[in-house]
Amino acid sequence: MTSTAVSSRDLPHPTRGEIRLEGVLHALSDPLRLQIVRELAAVGDELSCSHFDLPVTKSTTTHHFRVLRESGVIQQIYRGTAKMNGLRKDDLDGLFPGLLDALLDAAARQAVRPGGA
Amino acid sequence: MTSTAVSSRDLPHPTRGEIRLEGVLHALSDPLRLQIVRELAAVGDELSCSHFDLPVTKSTTTHHFRVLRESGVIQQIYRGTAKMNGLRKDDLDGLFPGLLDALLDAAARQAVRPGGA
DNA sequence: CGGCTCGTACGATAAGCATCGTAGTACGGG
DNA sequence: CCCGTACTACGATGCTTATCGTACGAGCCG
């Protein structure tokens, strides 16, 4: 069959039209979450939650991924025991052309600044 | 004389190098503050605090302007009894080329969305 | 089945923040 | 000098959020 029933568990996502700029900016105003998004953009593919080595506990990591999902920045899907995360680049580009690239570029520039990390 | 000693009171601003992307995003993730910045960008000039007709008290207005100033998004200067506010467009463009324009464009697009305000 | 790993849910806690009201300061004008 | 206007400072309050720990649920593998 053609259905993509990857798992019985599925997660609530905002539709494209429900994504709010303020929510996106708030989601990205946290250094950890900005870091996650940068990494997702760099690989250009889905990554499991456990791929990220963040300086917080697993509970907190779950929380940050949820904020990113509920703001519409990433989409999440269970694949077996792993939860894969992907940037919603098409939706963001459709809503706010050029914004994501400008944000990623800005983050990259700041990262190479003296004492930028 | 050419000096710009507008007032004895002066306000602390971050230098260009101290401006952090996360701080800018956080400042703009509030609808009121985003609105203020949009208005400043639209007129392309300085505006007094009292020019803005915001649905909050003056105390709260002061607070929002301070957040914008301390994050490096605007610069503030006393001119007589008025406090003028100006976008730090040059600094933001220098640090994060294209970001401010992308953000303003994104906000404008969202504003014309069905139920976007 | 039993156990392992990945991730969630829930409760607690501490910090941050948006908001207000009141009292106060700085400046300009009569 | 006194008053009005513009804005600030401070304290209170209630909401949101970042963080943790522990206990739990879902899927995989032997």
Side-chain angles (χ1 to χ4, degrees):
Chain A
M1 40 105 158
T2 59
S3 105
T4 44
V6 183
S7 164
S8 54
R9 296 177 284 177
D10 56 64
L11 302 154
H13 290 77
T15 65
R16 178 189 286 211
E18 285 166 354
I19 296 177
R20 304 275 320 169
L21 177 60
E22 297 90 325
V24 171
L25 297 184
H26 174 247
L28 297 182
S29 70
D30 181 284
L32 247 50
R33 294 194 291 255
L34 184 57
Q35 174 66 30
I36 290 171
V37 168
R38 294 227 296 145
E39 213 157 324
L40 282 175
V43 306
D45 198 3
E46 294 184 332
L47 290 175
S48 73
C49 288
S50 55
H51 168 271
F52 297 87
D53 190 29
L54 302 173
V56 290
T57 65
K58 275 196 298 183
S59 304
T60 307
T61 300
T62 297
H63 160 70
H64 284 304
F65 274 108
R66 179 168 35 199
V67 172
L68 286 171
R69 171 168 47 83
E70 292 180 345
S71 68
V73 176
I74 66 171
Q75 91 230 43
Q76 298 190 290
I77 180 179
Y78 283 103
R79 191 163 301 161
T81 161
K83 187 157 82 169
M84 304 304 290
N85 306 275
L87 251 191
R88 293 181 65 175
K89 183 159 178 40
D90 288 349
D91 286 323
L92 294 174
D93 284 347
L95 286 169
F96 311 124
L99 179 62
L100 183 59
D101 286 340
L103 285 166
L104 291 169
D105 180 67
R109 283 171 188 271
Q110 177 170 279
V112 299
R113 229 153 75 179
Chain B
M1 44 114 153
T2 59
S3 107
T4 44
V6 184
S7 165
S8 55
R9 295 179 283 177
D10 57 63
L11 301 153
H13 290 76
T15 65
R16 177 189 286 211
E18 285 166 355
I19 296 177
R20 304 277 316 169
L21 177 59
E22 297 90 326
V24 172
L25 298 184
H26 173 248
L28 298 182
S29 69
D30 181 283
L32 247 51
R33 293 193 292 255
L34 183 57
Q35 173 68 28
I36 290 171
V37 168
R38 294 228 295 145
E39 212 158 325
L40 282 174
V43 306
D45 198 3
E46 295 185 331
L47 290 176
S48 73
C49 289
S50 55
H51 168 271
F52 297 87
D53 191 28
L54 301 173
V56 290
T57 65
K58 275 197 296 185
S59 304
T60 307
T61 301
T62 297
H63 160 70
H64 284 305
F65 275 107
R66 178 168 34 198
V67 172
L68 286 171
R69 170 169 47 84
E70 290 179 347
S71 68
V73 176
I74 66 172
Q75 91 229 48
Q76 299 190 290
I77 179 178
Y78 282 103
R79 192 162 300 161
T81 159
K83 187 157 83 168
M84 304 304 290
N85 305 276
L87 252 192
R88 292 182 66 175
K89 183 160 178 40
D90 288 350
D91 286 323
L92 293 174
D93 284 348
L95 285 169
F96 311 125
L99 179 62
L100 183 58
D101 286 341
L103 285 165
L104 291 170
D105 180 68
R109 285 171 187 271
Q110 176 169 279
V112 299
R113 230 154 73 179

mmCIF file of all heavy atoms in Angstrom, chain A residues 1 4 6-7 17 22 24 31-32 38 40-41 45-46 53 61 64 73 78-80 97 99 114 116:
data_model
loop_
_atom_site.group_PDB
_atom_site.id
_atom_site.type_symbol
_atom_site.label_atom_id
_atom_site.label_comp_id
_atom_site.label_asym_id
_atom_site.label_seq_id
_atom_site.Cartn_x
_atom_site.Cartn_y
_atom_site.Cartn_z
ATOM 1 N N MET A 1 0.809 -1.212 0.000
ATOM 2 C CA MET A 1 0.000 0.000 0.000
ATOM 3 C C MET A 1 0.842 1.263 0.000
ATOM 4 O O MET A 1 1.983 1.289 0.391
ATOM 5 C CB MET A 1 -0.951 -0.014 1.211
ATOM 6 C CG MET A 1 -0.278 -0.540 2.440
ATOM 7 S SD MET A 1 0.182 0.619 3.683
ATOM 8 C CE MET A 1 0.308 -0.418 5.126
ATOM 9 N N THR A 4 1.617 6.058 4.159
ATOM 10 C CA THR A 4 2.869 6.207 4.893
ATOM 11 C C THR A 4 2.612 6.094 6.388
ATOM 12 O O THR A 4 2.990 6.943 7.167
ATOM 13 C CB THR A 4 3.516 7.553 4.582
ATOM 14 O OG1 THR A 4 2.502 8.555 4.612
ATOM 15 C CG2 THR A 4 4.191 7.532 3.260
ATOM 16 N N VAL A 6 3.711 5.286 9.251
ATOM 17 C CA VAL A 6 5.005 4.934 9.792
ATOM 18 C C VAL A 6 4.880 4.432 11.216
ATOM 19 O O VAL A 6 5.649 3.602 11.665
ATOM 20 C CB VAL A 6 5.952 6.152 9.720
ATOM 21 C CG1 VAL A 6 7.319 5.788 10.212
ATOM 22 C CG2 VAL A 6 6.014 6.690 8.315
ATOM 23 N N SER A 7 3.879 4.922 11.873
ATOM 24 C CA SER A 7 3.729 4.548 13.268
ATOM 25 C C SER A 7 2.318 4.878 13.703
ATOM 26 O O SER A 7 1.620 5.655 13.065
ATOM 27 C CB SER A 7 4.737 5.319 14.125
ATOM 28 O OG SER A 7 4.377 5.256 15.471
ATOM 29 N N GLY A 17 -0.619 27.614 7.081
ATOM 30 C CA GLY A 17 -1.302 28.875 7.345
ATOM 31 C C GLY A 17 -1.346 29.260 8.817
ATOM 32 O O GLY A 17 -1.595 30.408 9.154
ATOM 33 N N GLU A 22 5.914 35.551 14.700
ATOM 34 C CA GLU A 22 6.338 35.742 16.084
ATOM 35 C C GLU A 22 6.743 34.414 16.717
ATOM 36 O O GLU A 22 7.732 34.338 17.456
ATOM 37 C CB GLU A 22 5.210 36.376 16.912
ATOM 38 C CG GLU A 22 4.800 37.768 16.458
ATOM 39 C CD GLU A 22 3.679 37.714 15.422
ATOM 40 O OE1 GLU A 22 3.671 36.770 14.593
ATOM 41 O OE2 GLU A 22 2.819 38.614 15.449
ATOM 42 N N VAL A 24 7.852 31.714 15.199
ATOM 43 C CA VAL A 24 9.111 31.261 14.608
ATOM 44 C C VAL A 24 10.280 32.009 15.244
ATOM 45 O O VAL A 24 11.291 31.404 15.637
ATOM 46 C CB VAL A 24 9.090 31.467 13.083
ATOM 47 C CG1 VAL A 24 10.461 31.211 12.489
ATOM 48 C CG2 VAL A 24 8.043 30.567 12.441
ATOM 49 N N PRO A 31 19.265 29.781 22.092
ATOM 50 C CA PRO A 31 20.517 29.321 21.474
ATOM 51 C C PRO A 31 20.503 27.831 21.138
ATOM 52 O O PRO A 31 20.981 27.433 20.072
ATOM 53 C CB PRO A 31 21.563 29.616 22.547
ATOM 54 C CG PRO A 31 20.976 30.686 23.388
ATOM 55 C CD PRO A 31 19.498 30.472 23.365
ATOM 56 N N LEU A 32 19.958 27.031 22.022
ATOM 57 C CA LEU A 32 19.906 25.591 21.767
ATOM 58 C C LEU A 32 19.064 25.277 20.542
ATOM 59 O O LEU A 32 19.458 24.476 19.683
ATOM 60 C CB LEU A 32 19.303 24.883 22.990
ATOM 61 C CG LEU A 32 20.247 23.981 23.772
ATOM 62 C CD1 LEU A 32 21.536 24.681 24.094
ATOM 63 C CD2 LEU A 32 19.567 23.493 25.035
ATOM 64 N N ARG A 38 20.217 25.040 12.836
ATOM 65 C CA ARG A 38 21.410 25.187 11.995
ATOM 66 C C ARG A 38 21.930 23.823 11.563
ATOM 67 O O ARG A 38 22.342 23.633 10.417
ATOM 68 C CB ARG A 38 22.507 25.917 12.776
ATOM 69 C CG ARG A 38 22.158 27.343 13.108
ATOM 70 C CD ARG A 38 23.295 28.281 12.782
ATOM 71 N NE ARG A 38 24.482 28.035 13.558
ATOM 72 C CZ ARG A 38 25.711 28.180 13.076
ATOM 73 N NH1 ARG A 38 25.900 28.530 11.826
ATOM 74 N NH2 ARG A 38 26.744 27.967 13.853
ATOM 75 N N LEU A 40 20.215 21.018 11.365
ATOM 76 C CA LEU A 40 19.278 20.413 10.419
ATOM 77 C C LEU A 40 19.463 21.006 9.021
ATOM 78 O O LEU A 40 19.423 20.282 8.017
ATOM 79 C CB LEU A 40 17.843 20.643 10.889
ATOM 80 C CG LEU A 40 17.356 19.747 12.020
ATOM 81 C CD1 LEU A 40 15.969 20.170 12.474
ATOM 82 C CD2 LEU A 40 17.350 18.285 11.574
ATOM 83 N N ALA A 41 19.662 22.308 8.960
ATOM 84 C CA ALA A 41 19.842 22.952 7.659
ATOM 85 C C ALA A 41 21.147 22.497 7.016
ATOM 86 O O ALA A 41 21.219 22.311 5.796
ATOM 87 C CB ALA A 41 19.830 24.465 7.813
ATOM 88 N N ASP A 45 18.734 17.096 5.791
ATOM 89 C CA ASP A 45 18.006 15.837 5.862
ATOM 90 C C ASP A 45 17.404 15.709 7.254
ATOM 91 O O ASP A 45 17.613 16.563 8.110
ATOM 92 C CB ASP A 45 18.959 14.669 5.573
ATOM 93 C CG ASP A 45 18.188 13.410 5.209
ATOM 94 O OD1 ASP A 45 16.952 13.471 5.135
ATOM 95 O OD2 ASP A 45 18.849 12.369 5.017
ATOM 96 N N GLU A 46 16.678 14.655 7.464
ATOM 97 C CA GLU A 46 16.109 14.430 8.780
ATOM 98 C C GLU A 46 17.162 13.865 9.728
ATOM 99 O O GLU A 46 18.051 13.119 9.313
ATOM 100 C CB GLU A 46 14.939 13.448 8.689
ATOM 101 C CG GLU A 46 13.761 13.991 7.904
ATOM 102 C CD GLU A 46 12.595 13.023 7.934
ATOM 103 O OE1 GLU A 46 12.843 11.808 8.058
ATOM 104 O OE2 GLU A 46 11.437 13.481 7.836
ATOM 105 N N ASP A 53 23.803 16.277 20.486
ATOM 106 C CA ASP A 53 24.437 16.148 21.796
ATOM 107 C C ASP A 53 24.319 17.487 22.510
ATOM 108 O O ASP A 53 25.205 18.326 22.448
ATOM 109 C CB ASP A 53 25.902 15.733 21.644
ATOM 110 C CG ASP A 53 26.496 15.351 22.984
ATOM 111 O OD1 ASP A 53 25.721 14.887 23.855
ATOM 112 O OD2 ASP A 53 27.712 15.528 23.160
ATOM 113 N N THR A 61 15.466 18.346 26.235
ATOM 114 C CA THR A 61 15.584 18.201 24.790
ATOM 115 C C THR A 61 14.215 17.994 24.159
ATOM 116 O O THR A 61 13.863 18.651 23.165
ATOM 117 C CB THR A 61 16.496 17.003 24.466
ATOM 118 O OG1 THR A 61 17.782 17.246 25.038
ATOM 119 C CG2 THR A 61 16.640 16.826 22.970
ATOM 120 N N HIS A 64 12.414 21.281 23.898
ATOM 121 C CA HIS A 64 12.866 22.183 22.841
ATOM 122 C C HIS A 64 12.384 21.718 21.466
ATOM 123 O O HIS A 64 11.981 22.524 20.638
ATOM 124 C CB HIS A 64 14.389 22.286 22.856
ATOM 125 C CG HIS A 64 14.905 23.151 23.973
ATOM 126 N ND1 HIS A 64 14.506 24.459 24.139
ATOM 127 C CD2 HIS A 64 15.761 22.895 24.994
ATOM 128 C CE1 HIS A 64 15.115 24.972 25.207
ATOM 129 N NE2 HIS A 64 15.874 24.034 25.746
ATOM 130 N N VAL A 73 8.553 25.255 12.771
ATOM 131 C CA VAL A 73 9.894 25.301 12.195
ATOM 132 C C VAL A 73 10.351 23.925 11.709
ATOM 133 O O VAL A 73 10.997 23.815 10.685
ATOM 134 C CB VAL A 73 10.895 25.880 13.222
ATOM 135 C CG1 VAL A 73 12.314 25.833 12.677
ATOM 136 C CG2 VAL A 73 10.512 27.306 13.578
ATOM 137 N N TYR A 78 7.701 9.708 13.833
ATOM 138 C CA TYR A 78 8.305 8.519 14.432
ATOM 139 C C TYR A 78 8.686 7.540 13.342
ATOM 140 O O TYR A 78 7.935 7.305 12.393
ATOM 141 C CB TYR A 78 7.316 7.840 15.383
ATOM 142 C CG TYR A 78 7.193 8.540 16.705
ATOM 143 C CD1 TYR A 78 6.112 9.340 16.982
ATOM 144 C CD2 TYR A 78 8.179 8.394 17.669
ATOM 145 C CE1 TYR A 78 5.990 9.993 18.194
ATOM 146 C CE2 TYR A 78 8.064 9.044 18.892
ATOM 147 C CZ TYR A 78 6.977 9.843 19.144
ATOM 148 O OH TYR A 78 6.866 10.488 20.343
ATOM 149 N N ARG A 79 9.832 6.976 13.490
ATOM 150 C CA ARG A 79 10.269 5.929 12.580
ATOM 151 C C ARG A 79 10.876 4.835 13.463
ATOM 152 O O ARG A 79 12.040 4.929 13.843
ATOM 153 C CB ARG A 79 11.270 6.485 11.577
ATOM 154 C CG ARG A 79 11.577 5.565 10.438
ATOM 155 C CD ARG A 79 12.230 6.312 9.306
ATOM 156 N NE ARG A 79 11.379 7.416 8.802
ATOM 157 C CZ ARG A 79 11.821 8.441 8.092
ATOM 158 N NH1 ARG A 79 13.097 8.523 7.811
ATOM 159 N NH2 ARG A 79 10.995 9.367 7.661
ATOM 160 N N GLY A 80 10.046 3.858 13.742
ATOM 161 C CA GLY A 80 10.484 2.861 14.714
ATOM 162 C C GLY A 80 10.592 3.521 16.071
ATOM 163 O O GLY A 80 9.718 4.275 16.481
ATOM 164 N N PRO A 97 9.513 34.303 2.120
ATOM 165 C CA PRO A 97 10.629 34.049 1.199
ATOM 166 C C PRO A 97 11.905 34.751 1.658
ATOM 167 O O PRO A 97 11.896 35.932 1.972
ATOM 168 C CB PRO A 97 10.128 34.644 -0.125
ATOM 169 C CG PRO A 97 8.650 34.694 0.006
ATOM 170 C CD PRO A 97 8.360 34.904 1.457
ATOM 171 N N LEU A 99 13.534 34.454 4.322
ATOM 172 C CA LEU A 99 13.756 34.637 5.758
ATOM 173 C C LEU A 99 14.660 33.554 6.334
ATOM 174 O O LEU A 99 15.627 33.855 7.043
ATOM 175 C CB LEU A 99 12.417 34.640 6.503
ATOM 176 C CG LEU A 99 12.544 34.793 8.011
ATOM 177 C CD1 LEU A 99 13.180 36.129 8.370
ATOM 178 C CD2 LEU A 99 11.189 34.663 8.697
ATOM 179 N N PRO A 114 34.498 36.917 16.571
ATOM 180 C CA PRO A 114 35.352 36.719 17.748
ATOM 181 C C PRO A 114 34.492 36.553 18.993
ATOM 182 O O PRO A 114 33.776 37.461 19.384
ATOM 183 C CB PRO A 114 36.171 38.017 17.820
ATOM 184 C CG PRO A 114 35.706 38.871 16.700
ATOM 185 C CD PRO A 114 34.871 38.074 15.791
ATOM 186 N N GLY A 116 32.047 34.416 19.165
ATOM 187 C CA GLY A 116 30.693 34.382 18.624
ATOM 188 C C GLY A 116 29.854 33.209 19.080
ATOM 189 O O GLY A 116 28.646 33.285 19.117
#
